[in-house]
Amino acid sequence: MRLIFALVFLTILALAPSLRADETPAQAAVQSLHDALLDVMQAADALGFDGRRDYLEPVMSEVFDMPVIARVSVGSHWRKAAAPDKQRLVAMIFRLSVSTYAARFDGFSGESFAILAEEPAPRDTRMVRTEIVKADGDTVRLDYLLHESDNGWRIVDVYLDGVYSELALRRADYASTLKSGGFDALFTQLEKKIEIIEAEER
């Protein structure tokens, strides 16, 4: 299995397109994610769920700002949390995110990704507007909100159909759990979400 994964990994690296010279840093971060998603879609069966997750993990670590995503996801509870709880939350949200993407992008039917535009957004952020183009020509909008961190431009939110914020959905989902049971309850909730995804994909 390791040999198969290594061969697939090297193959998709060789086929991965290089970044265009006219891309902005924010667009380059989004393009890196799209390239990785297309890779795992095209090699979905050979990689399996674990292989897709392993392939996406370093890319998503590079292009997403998980500490910011974790902090905003729990709102004012972040300030009250102990350092170990903050570190655990970042790690668990990252695991959940990678598992979700590995499960969601599990096959290829001729799709492609296209960057449409980049626009300024509030608080010195940038919105990179993109779409998934299906083989029949139908499209799905995916917009990415990025901010400039010490490590470059990083994604902090994703909008489905240009409207539905993943970060807002997380915050709404976690709020009642935090209010009733604190971080221990939230960790249990996140672990169950990860276990459900893994059970369905294996």
Side-chain angles (χ1 to χ4, degrees), residues 48-180:
F49 172 74
D50 289 339
R52 297 195 302 272
R53 186 188 57 194
D54 291 345
Y55 186 77
L56 290 173
E57 187 172 288
V59 178
M60 293 182 65
S61 177
E62 182 70 20
V63 302
F64 283 88
D65 195 328
M66 283 298 166
V68 169
I69 291 171
R71 173 172 57 80
V72 177
S73 294
V74 298
S76 61
H77 294 274
W78 181 263
R79 295 195 301 271
K80 309 169 191 174
D85 284 341
K86 291 179 179 178
Q87 294 170 1
R88 186 178 178 189
L89 179 65
V90 172
M92 292 194 74
I93 288 181
F94 179 61
R95 282 178 56 207
L96 177 59
S97 298
V98 174
S99 293
T100 299
Y101 274 71
R104 185 179 296 166
F105 294 91
D106 61 348
F108 181 69
S109 302
E111 299 90 346
S112 62
F113 292 86
I115 292 178
L116 304 176
E118 179 180 334
E119 304 167 0
R123 299 179 183 176
D124 297 321
T125 58
R126 306 291 295 181
M127 185 72 77
V128 176
R129 303 197 180 279
T130 81
E131 63 184 10
I132 302 174
V133 183
K134 299 180 181 180
D136 61 5
D138 285 347
T139 61
V140 177
R141 277 282 298 278
L142 281 178
D143 295 341
Y144 298 87
L145 184 68
L146 298 93
H147 81 133
E148 189 172 19
S149 71
D150 293 338
N151 298 313
W153 285 89
R154 297 291 183 266
I155 299 167
V156 293
D157 201 0
V158 182
Y159 294 81
L160 179 62
D161 292 333
V163 176
Y164 304 105
S165 161
E166 284 193 358
L167 198 52
L169 291 174
R170 284 182 191 275
R171 189 161 181 164
D173 187 29
Y174 302 164
S176 61
T177 302
L178 285 164
K179 184 176 181 179
S180 62

Side-chain angles (χ1 to χ4, degrees), residues 33-54:
L33 176 63
H34 283 179
D35 288 345
L37 293 176
L38 193 59
D39 286 343
V40 298
M41 290 165 69
Q42 291 174 335
D45 291 339
L47 290 172
F49 172 74
D50 289 339
R52 297 195 302 272
R53 186 188 57 194
D54 291 345

Side-chain angles (χ1 to χ4, degrees), residues 4 10 27-28 31 72 76 91 102-103 150 194:
I4 293 174
L10 291 172
Q27 290 174 21
Q31 187 64 51
V72 177
S76 61
D150 293 338
I194 295 169

